[in-house]
Amino acid sequence: MDIAALREKNPEHWMKAAAIRALTLDAVAAANSGHSGMPMGMADVATVLFEKHLKFDASAPKWPDRDRFILSAGHGSMLIYSLLHLCGDAQVTLDQIKNFRQMGALTAGHPENFLLDAVETTTGPLGQGIANAVGFAMAEEIQRAQYGRKLVDHYTYAIVGDGCLMEGISQEAIGLAGRHSLGHLVVLWDNNNITIDGSVELSDRTNQVQRFRASGWHVQEIDGHDPEAIDAAIEAAKKAKKPSMIACKTHIALGHAAQDTSKGHGALTDADQMKAAKEAYGWSYGPFEVPADIKSQWEAIGARGAADRAAWEERFAEASKQKQDRFNRAYALDVPKKLSAVVKALKKQISEEKPSVATRKSSEMALAVINPIMPETVGGSADLTGSNNTKTEDLGVFDTDNRRGRYVYWGIREHGMAAAMNGMALHGGIRPYSGTFFCFTDYARPAMRLAALMKIPTVFVMTHDSIGVGEDGPTHQPVEHLAICRATPNTYVFRPADTVETAEAWEVAISSKETPSVMALTRQNLPTLRTDHKLKNMSAQGAYVLAEAENKRQVILIATGSEVSIAMDAKAKLEAEGIGTRVVSMPCMELFAEQDEAYRRRVLPAGAVRVGVEAAVRQGWDQWLLGERARPGKSDFVGMDRFGASAPAGELYEKFGITASNVAEKAKALLS
């Protein structure tokens, strides 16, 4: 690559891009850690994108109608940090650049959305960013249909690398975007042919251009170091009616001794090599030094979108008050005032009618009263609509001819679905939820974990939650999944016992602003246990006394979901023998842990023996069985310690001893 020729062809562009490269080298060297090569290789693409196309205002990074920029190749985080600093973002000061990857710095090793306002999504796990971007683009289409082009008209741009495109989630995302003709999505592929181990050919021979075309994308191939070609390609992409992929042929670690090698992927810290690279760039400034003229050019780029933002604010002020209020409420993640009333009404109806239904159906009943009053909800399923019960009559189907539709047929794409839902939530103004079978949290888990890390309230509806699945057998019977979900920080895992608890769980989940929720729901019918109507949302406390002891309290049975009714039957057996038994329903362990100690002691007082009941592994239960002032050696657990089997659900419960008789016997053994 002739660096001198690139410098001479467009010197003004070159020096702006060189500022990114120089800051990257300096920051990675100071940290002695990081990834230099990608920012150095993609600096030209990023410079053209920010200077000529990206609609953003560095002084207002959360302005709703901004273009969204996603760095899917998040290891190259110095690219976005350099861009934000150069453009005048108030958070990314020079000190933050100097403290790249250090304790307390906003410039973390990978971009974190909860640290910097201008970082749209947390990236680093490869492939997540491109799938998030699809969700962003879908959210933009839905909101444009709801509010009109005057208020919602922006693009989503994503820079992806070879690693992003090797991850399987990328095909799930690409196929989805092509199917829905997401014309406001532009992916810029850093086509440098290098991975950590060496050249891409070591592990892959996929023709990415053909793959995107086959998936329904508009595709272009360009020189990623030619600013005129980059500009023309982005312009053409913006006019396309399909999602666009621009294959940008680049040189990783451009201008450095490690250029075009796997070494160029990582931290380039050799002082002599850094000096030589900067000399090749024509960059004669000291570490972290950006000359005033170049910095002012970049700051002008950062301020370019202020006029667009002001014009949007004028248009927004001209909208009806009703539209403004709905828009502002949705973006603030505030629920409508009606929510509490409609949930209370449903609870009262259920307590009176006492239906016996599966909690997956209970979930549909709750959504049927929530969705009509919350136009920001967007539902879906991974090809299990009839099983997950996530589609209500009012939603309509999101499609190329119906952007107002709020139900997405995701297809068999659990990972892509979960990540795209995260993108919808991050876009703002959308409350996404979608379903699959609980055992397939294994396929969705990376995105579920990131939802928790990013503090976004995505709702993951997971039905067929236990051995109660029955004949489909152990492949489809989750036993460890509750423990896995509960082990994830900042996650609410709800396992409701009946329709009343399910409605309460939905009220909490849809009201959350920073915590995702997992709805673990049954396939099999469950009786209504909450027959005494209470206005208070009892499930919001995580656990509560469902039934008090009639005789002197000696036993506390703690259960979740479908096993609460088993605990109630065990209580009846114990009470018949004069053994006073309290039943505690625990629909959400995380919420119970958040309650004050006095409340937890009231629910789980000292003295009585304790038995936990759940058709899953014990892991996670000992906090309540052994802790919280429990009697030493006086607790037990009835559940699973192996995988399930293929048989009718009732037979499975008998085989594995998850029965009222066994629970009662366990309790009596603790009393002896």
Side-chain angles (χ1 to χ4, degrees):
M1 171 60 66
D2 189 343
I3 300 294
L6 290 176
R7 287 170 51 189
E8 292 172 8
K9 183 176 181 180
N10 194 328
E12 186 175 302
H13 161 85
W14 176 264
M15 293 306 286
K16 285 198 290 285
I20 296 172
R21 295 180 171 112
L23 284 174
T24 294
L25 284 168
D26 291 338
V28 172
N32 196 31
S33 171
H35 300 80
S36 311
M38 192 281 278
M40 295 165 70
M42 285 296 281
D44 295 303
V45 172
T47 298
V48 173
L49 174 63
F50 271 63
E51 180 177 14
K52 298 185 179 297
H53 297 279
L54 194 71
K55 183 173 66 172
F56 78 108
D57 180 356
S59 70
K62 290 297 188 183
W63 160 45
D65 200 37
R66 67 193 180 279
D67 287 343
R68 271 63 169 178
F69 172 65
I70 295 168
L71 186 65
S72 186
H75 57 276
S77 56
M78 269 310 301
L79 178 66
I80 192 168
Y81 298 150
S82 297
L83 288 163
L84 294 177
H85 170 67
L86 291 167
C87 287
D89 186 290
Q91 290 182 302
V92 189
T93 63
L94 190 59
D95 281 344
Q96 291 291 342
I97 297 292
K98 291 179 178 179
N99 284 286
F100 174 57
R101 285 179 163 241
Q102 303 309 299
M103 179 66 74
L106 302 179
T107 47
H110 293 85
E112 307 287 4
N113 73 304
F114 51 85
L115 294 179
L116 291 171
D117 290 341
V119 171
E120 301 287 358
T121 180
T122 290
T123 54
L126 294 177
Q128 289 291 324
I130 187 173
N132 289 165
V134 172
F136 274 86
M138 293 174 76
E140 191 266 347
E141 293 282 0
I142 292 168
Q143 289 199 321
R144 182 147 36 89
Q146 288 183 339
Y147 296 106
R149 191 175 293 273
K150 288 184 177 181
L151 298 187
V152 182
D153 189 17
H154 51 264
Y155 288 84
T156 298
Y157 297 94
I159 286 180
V160 309
D162 292 305
C164 295
L165 299 187
M166 283 195 206
E167 290 286 357
I169 188 176
S170 71
Q171 184 55 42
E172 296 185 25
I174 291 164
L176 185 69
R179 165 61 183 83
H180 286 292
S181 299
L182 301 178
H184 281 212
L185 173 62
V186 180
V187 167
L188 301 150
W189 171 34
D190 178 18
N191 179 17
N192 61 43
N193 203 46
I194 294 294
T195 64
I196 292 174
D197 280 350
S199 68
V200 168
E201 282 76 16
L202 285 172
S203 57
D204 194 40
R205 67 190 308 170
T206 303
N207 186 316
Q208 298 293 352
V209 167
Q210 290 182 7
R211 177 162 79 113
F212 274 82
R213 283 192 177 130
S215 298
W217 286 57
H218 173 264
V219 182
Q220 303 171 79
E221 298 179 76
I222 63 168
D223 178 351
H225 300 297
D226 181 343
E228 292 181 358
I230 297 165
D231 182 26
I234 296 174
E235 193 63 45
K238 287 159 66 177
K239 294 176 181 176
K241 294 183 179 179
K242 300 177 179 180
S244 286
M245 190 273 268
I246 304 173
C248 306
K249 189 60 184 173
T250 61
H251 295 271
I252 197 169
L254 180 73
H256 191 277
Q259 177 182 312
D260 299 327
T261 71
S262 59
K263 182 175 174 56
H265 174 88
L268 304 178
T269 59
D270 182 274
D272 291 338
Q273 292 179 351
M274 285 175 58
K275 180 181 177 183
K278 289 183 178 181
E279 287 176 354
Y281 299 155
W283 193 264
S284 57
Y285 312 103
F288 299 104
E289 181 183 355
V290 178
D293 61 328
I294 296 175
K295 185 66 164 74
S296 65
Q297 291 173 36
W298 269 111
E299 288 178 352
I301 293 171
R304 178 174 53 82
D308 287 328
R309 178 172 63 85
W312 180 86
E313 289 172 348
E314 289 182 9
R315 295 194 300 274
F316 187 78
E318 293 170 357
S320 69
K321 186 177 185 305
Q322 182 183 24
K323 183 178 286 189
Q324 288 183 38
D325 289 346
R326 180 156 63 93
F327 187 97
N328 287 333
R329 182 184 62 73
Y331 268 82
L333 294 176
D334 292 333
V335 297
K337 294 178 181 178
K338 291 180 181 179
L339 178 63
S340 178
V342 299
V343 170
K344 286 184 175 70
L346 176 61
K347 287 166 54 179
K348 186 173 188 298
Q349 175 189 341
I350 297 302
S351 294
E352 293 171 351
E353 296 178 358
K354 305 176 183 59
S356 177
V357 296
T359 51
R360 58 174 174 158
K361 178 63 177 178
S362 304
S363 174
E364 181 183 13
M365 295 162 71
L367 289 168
V369 301
I370 292 170
N371 282 335
I373 66 168
M374 294 188 69
E376 64 269 34
T377 58
V378 175
S381 170
D383 199 49
L384 292 166
T385 296
S387 294
N388 298 148
N389 297 86
T390 43
K391 186 174 185 289
T392 58
E393 292 182 0
D394 59 300
L395 290 179
V397 176
F398 176 79
D399 209 336
T400 53
D401 60 353
N402 184 24
R403 297 309 202 194
R404 285 183 176 272
R406 293 161 50 206
Y407 191 82
V408 181
Y409 288 114
W410 294 102
I412 304 91
R413 297 185 178 98
E414 287 88 359
H415 197 178
M417 172 183 78
M421 283 199 293
N422 286 347
M424 287 182 169
L426 289 160
H427 176 279
I430 296 289
R431 285 275 193 175
Y433 72 87
S434 287
T436 186
F437 289 169
F438 194 26
C439 59
F440 299 142
T441 54
D442 293 335
Y443 289 169
R445 170 146 176 76
M448 296 171 72
R449 177 178 184 268
L450 283 171
L453 176 64
M454 292 190 285
K455 303 177 183 177
I456 52 174
T458 314
V459 181
F460 303 98
V461 179
M462 300 297 177
T463 68
H464 297 58
D465 71 339
S466 73
I467 59 170
V469 171
E471 291 86 347
D472 277 341
T475 60
H476 283 55
Q477 292 167 7
V479 294
E480 75 275 30
H481 299 74
L482 283 165
I484 291 170
C485 291
R486 287 170 179 156
T488 306
N490 190 40
T491 300
Y492 291 147
V493 182
F494 291 98
R495 191 161 187 256
D498 65 4
T499 304
V500 175
E501 282 194 357
T502 306
E504 291 180 335
W506 266 109
E507 183 178 16
V508 175
I510 212 71
S511 301
S512 172
K513 293 189 176 186
E514 293 191 342
T515 301
S517 297
V518 177
M519 296 287 185
L521 307 171
T522 68
R523 175 182 184 266
Q524 70 271 33
N525 290 346
L526 303 180
T528 297
L529 300 175
R530 289 273 297 278
T531 56
D532 181 16
H533 174 58
K534 293 186 184 331
L535 293 175
K536 185 175 183 178
N537 186 323
M538 304 299 290
S539 299
Q541 300 172 111
Y544 62 94
V545 178
L546 175 64
E548 188 51 279
E550 298 158 31
N551 293 289
K552 180 183 177 182
R553 185 175 62 230
Q554 300 179 66
V555 175
I556 299 176
L557 303 179
I558 315 168
T560 77
S562 46
E563 286 69 70
V564 178
S565 61
I566 292 174
M568 290 292 286
D569 290 343
K571 168 186 165 60
K573 292 179 180 294
L574 291 165
E575 294 282 1
E577 297 182 36
I579 302 171
T581 302
R582 169 184 284 189
V583 173
V584 171
S585 179
M586 189 176 279
C588 183
M589 290 184 177
E590 299 77 26
L591 283 171
F592 187 57
E594 290 178 5
Q595 306 306 304
D596 60 51
E597 184 179 4
Y599 176 75
R600 297 200 309 272
R601 285 187 175 187
R602 288 199 302 274
V603 175
L604 297 178
V609 302
R610 299 179 187 180
V611 179
V613 192
E614 186 172 70
V617 298
R618 178 168 178 159
Q619 188 170 342
W621 271 88
D622 285 352
Q623 179 178 2
W624 317 116
L625 297 179
L626 305 181
E628 297 288 316
R629 303 172 73 217
R631 287 174 61 185
K634 293 297 183 179
S635 66
D636 208 339
F637 179 74
V638 174
M640 299 291 293
D641 58 6
R642 51 155 286 183
F643 292 113
S646 178
E651 294 179 23
L652 290 171
Y653 273 82
E654 288 286 342
K655 174 180 174 57
F656 294 114
I658 308 175
T659 64
S661 295
N662 192 36
V663 172
E665 289 304 315
K666 293 278 188 182
K668 288 192 289 184
L670 293 171
L671 292 172
S672 61

